[in-house]
Amino acid sequence: MDILEIKKQLPTGAGKEIAKMSGVNYDTVQRFLRGVETKENLRLIETTTKYLKEYKEKKAKAIQELQEVAKAV
């Protein structure tokens, strides 16, 4: 797993959201997203996976709805 490649897929502000969701300090999340090994890696991997999955699903749904609205005009 290359966290730096995954980080490129995250939107701006994702680190703060991942920190909130995981209960891990924001600075620790930032170190994790830079590829530094932390004692919270497992929790952050799980939380980042959940966050990115939800983000991609919401984005895909929003794009689909936008396309449908654009076609209706």
Side-chain angles (χ1 to χ4, degrees), residues 35-52:
V36 176
E37 187 79 18
T38 72
K39 68 179 185 177
E40 299 293 346
N41 264 26
L42 180 58
R43 181 186 303 182
L44 291 173
I45 289 167
E46 293 170 343
T47 305
T48 302
T49 301
K50 180 179 177 184
Y51 177 84
L52 188 56

Side-chain angles (χ1 to χ4, degrees), residues 22-60:
S22 66
V24 174
N25 182 285
Y26 175 72
D27 292 331
T28 304
V29 173
Q30 289 301 91
R31 285 194 305 278
F32 167 76
L33 293 175
R34 286 193 309 266
V36 176
E37 187 79 18
T38 72
K39 68 179 185 177
E40 299 293 346
N41 264 26
L42 180 58
R43 181 186 303 182
L44 291 173
I45 289 167
E46 293 170 343
T47 305
T48 302
T49 301
K50 180 179 177 184
Y51 177 84
L52 188 56
K53 180 181 177 186
E54 290 173 0
Y55 171 75
K56 286 184 172 189
E57 288 171 354
K58 287 179 185 178
K59 183 177 177 181

